[in-house]
Amino acid sequence: MMNQSREYQAYVDEQLSVDQVINLEKRLSKEEIAELEREREYENHISNFINDSGPDCPDDLWAKLKDQMISEIEQNEDVPVPSIGSKQKDIPVVHTPKLNLHDFRVWAIAAMFIINCAFIVAFLQYRNTKNDQPQNLIVFNEDMDQFASPAEFKGNFTDVKQYLHNVGLPVNLRTPSPNMHHKIKALGARVVKVQEQRYGEVYMSCCDKPMLVLIGRKDQQFPNEHIDFSNLSFYHIDSKVIGDLRVWVAGPHKPDGIISLFDGDSI
Amino acid sequence: MINDYEFVNMLEEYRNEFFRYIYRIVWNDSVAEDVFSSAVQTAWQSREKFKPGSNFRAWMYRIITNKCYVANREIKRNSLDVDELDESHFAVDPDLEKRMTDDPEWITEHAGDELLEAMKQLSTAERSSLILLAIERYSYKEIAEILEMPVGTVMTHLSRGRTRLRRLLMDHVLNTGLIDLKNKHVQKHINQQLKQG
């Protein structure tokens, strides 16, 4: 059981559950609630001020560190090929029997080697092709299960909000009130990359119509060309900037209901 | 195990966020660069320990915060003594406190530099807790996991950090007569309103 000052602190920091908030607000007078709200505003203002004070990572520092890591990866990927030049003198001379090109076994081994090489090349090409494909080609489908199936993570509003927070896209996604005119559901989410740009992709529905929600940096563009809207006769799209992030909502239903659930004031 | 290129991409994605966090803990450009380099190298060497699908940012913050403790030459303490939980010696005048908190914009406008200076006087644990909560938006539980200490200790660090910040700011506000200045400013505004009607 939390003591009173801890409970107030958790209230100001928005760390209480909905039930705990309701329970506490029942016990507090209007003046006390207003006092705690004022406290929250003060802390938020101070935080925003401190947040604006830090410098970005220097580009040259990052470039140096990145180069080190990439060169290590590339070194590990290289197949070590013994050099015939300068190092040859260090290799002890071993008299090996000469290859007999008329021996059937030599040709069999050579053929197996060539077949193996061909397999490796084919596999690498397949892997590269697979990696180049955009990962978020969305086809709008009336079947909601199929629509939700690519989600890396399935869950409701609270879970999706936490997921977005964990993957570095801290937007506040509110749970819609039961009285809301539109019936909005959250189904799941995943992180996708399109042309080296990272987006959080949230699967939602509004009045039983599938809606696509993307969250990216404020300066990113909506990746229209990677989303297949051909199943729809028309679609709506709208966006909202929240701090350094932008939320896009697109789909066959008007996006205003869903977009109103996003804000950046609190997590 | 996570793909190496993917790991580098994730570091690149969050590099500015991590660097700003380090800077706000060590408050020195060159020290921040050293800590950042060291943290990235440690993370790179330990990348096999990172579980794909788990929280990359939290994993990195744990490495970074440990480096910050070393840089600040502080020892991480996983709990606080009961005596230390008594915050009475950090207590501030409630009336003055109210005058300060009722207009935070005015305070940051007139005492912003002092606020940043006051941040430097907090302990590493207090600064980390405050930044992870207020700026990086982590929950108490997540902060406790990152700082490897109980939730109660995190709350104590937060409470003490804030109280010390307020006290330092209040000292400045009182010593420089800013409160009087503010009162005059408010009075002038009220007088103008009365004149207008």
Side-chain angles (χ1 to χ4, degrees):
Chain A
M1 182 83 182
M2 256 189 272
N3 70 31
Q4 196 181 51
S5 69
R6 287 282 160 101
E7 195 179 16
Y8 289 176
Q9 183 183 350
Y11 178 81
V12 168
D13 290 335
E14 299 181 354
Q15 299 287 318
L16 297 179
S17 67
V18 176
D19 288 343
Q20 286 172 317
V21 169
I22 292 168
N23 187 20
L24 177 63
E25 287 181 349
K26 271 185 199 166
R27 288 185 275 126
L28 295 175
S29 66
K30 278 183 182 172
E31 290 74 22
E32 285 170 321
I33 293 173
E35 181 77 12
L36 292 175
E37 288 291 343
R38 202 165 54 90
E39 192 72 19
R40 186 182 291 156
E41 275 176 33
Y42 174 81
E43 290 303 339
N44 284 341
H45 183 79
I46 297 290
S47 306
N48 290 338
F49 181 81
I50 294 168
N51 192 21
D52 292 338
S53 66
D56 280 351
C57 176
D59 287 341
D60 53 344
L61 174 67
W62 172 248
K64 198 176 85 182
L65 291 166
K66 188 179 177 183
D67 281 353
Q68 284 170 2
M69 291 185 280
I70 297 294
S71 65
E72 193 181 319
I73 297 172
E74 286 171 351
Q75 271 175 10
N76 291 339
E77 281 179 349
D78 285 345
V79 180
V81 180
S83 160
I84 301 172
S86 58
K87 284 188 181 171
Q88 197 176 22
K89 60 186 176 189
D90 298 326
I91 301 170
V93 178
V94 177
H95 295 285
T96 51
K98 281 186 180 176
L99 287 177
N100 178 2
L101 296 179
H102 296 289
D103 187 341
F104 167 76
R105 286 172 300 179
V106 173
W107 290 106
I109 291 167
M112 279 170 65
F113 176 75
I114 291 165
I115 292 167
N116 278 343
C117 287
F119 266 116
I120 290 167
V121 168
F123 171 73
L124 289 176
Q125 277 185 342
Y126 165 75
R127 201 177 66 170
N128 288 341
T129 314
K130 202 178 164 193
N131 287 346
D132 287 345
Q133 284 173 348
Q135 295 169 46
N136 70 334
L137 189 68
I138 298 298
V139 179
F140 275 84
N141 198 304
E142 294 304 315
D143 180 349
M144 292 301 295
D145 288 336
Q146 194 176 334
F147 176 70
S149 63
E152 165 187 301
F153 161 85
K154 293 185 181 179
N156 60 18
F157 289 91
T158 314
D159 300 331
V160 167
K161 181 173 107 172
Q162 186 61 47
Y163 174 83
L164 292 172
H165 174 55
N166 288 344
V167 298
L169 298 164
V171 286
N172 188 19
L173 172 60
R174 289 184 291 110
T175 303
S177 100
N179 304 326
M180 196 170 177
H181 175 65
H182 299 292
K183 296 294 167 218
I184 300 173
K185 290 180 193 164
L187 306 166
R190 65 172 176 164
V191 172
V192 292
K193 249 185 185 176
V194 183
Q195 292 180 328
E196 296 308 310
Q197 299 282 322
R198 193 165 168 276
Y199 298 86
E201 186 177 13
V202 184
Y203 302 89
M204 297 177 82
S205 68
C206 187
C207 303
D208 292 330
K209 291 190 186 298
M211 298 294 286
L212 172 69
V213 178
L214 288 182
I215 296 132
R217 298 283 152 201
K218 193 169 59 177
D219 53 352
Q220 285 176 204
Q221 301 293 316
F222 184 72
N224 201 39
E225 66 273 26
H226 292 290
I227 298 172
D228 184 357
F229 289 110
S230 59
N231 282 358
L232 304 176
S233 50
F234 66 93
Y235 66 92
H236 304 268
I237 182 165
D238 197 1
S239 75
K240 179 180 186 178
V241 173
I242 299 168
D244 291 337
L245 302 173
R246 186 186 292 274
V247 176
W248 294 270
V249 180
H253 192 283
K254 280 188 178 175
D256 51 338
I258 289 180
I259 223 158
S260 71
L261 299 178
F262 284 92
D263 65 61
D265 296 338
S266 59
I267 292 292
Chain B
M1 195 182 116
I2 191 163
N3 174 296
D4 285 346
Y5 286 108
E6 206 178 320
F7 191 85
V8 176
N9 284 343
M10 285 202 291
L11 282 171
E12 186 159 36
E13 174 84 26
Y14 296 115
R15 69 186 191 281
N16 289 328
E17 178 185 313
F18 294 149
F19 189 85
R20 277 195 291 267
Y21 171 76
I22 294 169
Y23 178 80
R24 292 185 198 109
I25 306 288
V26 298
W27 290 100
N28 177 299
D29 283 330
S30 63
V31 176
E33 289 185 16
D34 289 346
V35 170
F36 181 79
S37 302
S38 173
V40 167
Q41 281 161 1
T42 301
W44 178 246
Q45 283 154 13
S46 327
R47 62 192 184 280
E48 288 179 11
K49 292 180 190 164
F50 173 72
K51 292 176 193 158
S54 61
N55 190 336
F56 176 72
R57 287 166 78 227
W59 185 77
M60 273 303 293
Y61 275 119
R62 203 170 301 145
I63 294 173
I64 289 170
T65 307
N66 284 332
K67 300 276 177 192
C68 288
Y69 272 104
V70 176
N72 286 347
R73 294 180 184 161
E74 281 181 42
I75 297 164
K76 183 160 70 178
R77 299 161 75 195
N78 291 332
S79 60
L80 292 167
D81 296 336
V82 176
D83 289 345
E84 290 181 273
L85 297 177
D86 175 15
E87 288 158 19
S88 58
H89 58 292
F90 292 115
V92 289
D93 178 345
D95 180 46
L96 265 180
E97 190 178 10
K98 190 172 183 306
R99 284 156 78 188
M100 257 183 58
T101 55
D102 66 358
D103 193 356
E105 283 170 25
W106 201 88
I107 290 294
T108 49
E109 189 184 330
H110 290 83
D113 291 344
E114 284 69 25
L115 173 62
L116 297 179
E117 280 300 317
M119 275 294 282
K120 294 179 192 175
Q121 295 186 40
L122 305 188
S123 71
T124 299
E126 288 164 354
R127 277 203 295 267
S128 306
S129 309
L130 274 174
I131 291 166
L132 288 170
L133 177 85
I135 297 173
E136 307 307 343
R137 305 285 188 181
Y138 278 109
S139 67
Y140 288 164
K141 190 168 169 281
E142 289 168 316
I143 298 170
E145 283 167 10
I146 290 170
L147 300 182
E148 296 170 314
M149 52 182 63
V151 169
T153 308
V154 169
M155 290 182 79
T156 302
H157 285 309
L158 282 167
S159 167
R160 287 178 52 174
R162 282 168 170 161
T163 312
R164 286 177 68 181
L165 267 186
R166 271 181 207 194
R167 191 176 177 185
L168 291 162
L169 262 185
M170 211 172 284
D171 285 348
H172 171 77
V173 163
L174 281 174
N175 292 339
T176 53
L178 270 175
I179 282 282
D180 292 339
L181 185 67
K182 188 189 170 195
N183 287 345
K184 280 178 193 166
H185 171 81
V186 172
Q187 196 56 52
K188 194 177 161 188
H189 181 72
I190 292 169
N191 290 342
Q192 278 175 350
Q193 295 286 318
L194 287 171
K195 273 184 193 171
Q196 285 169 4

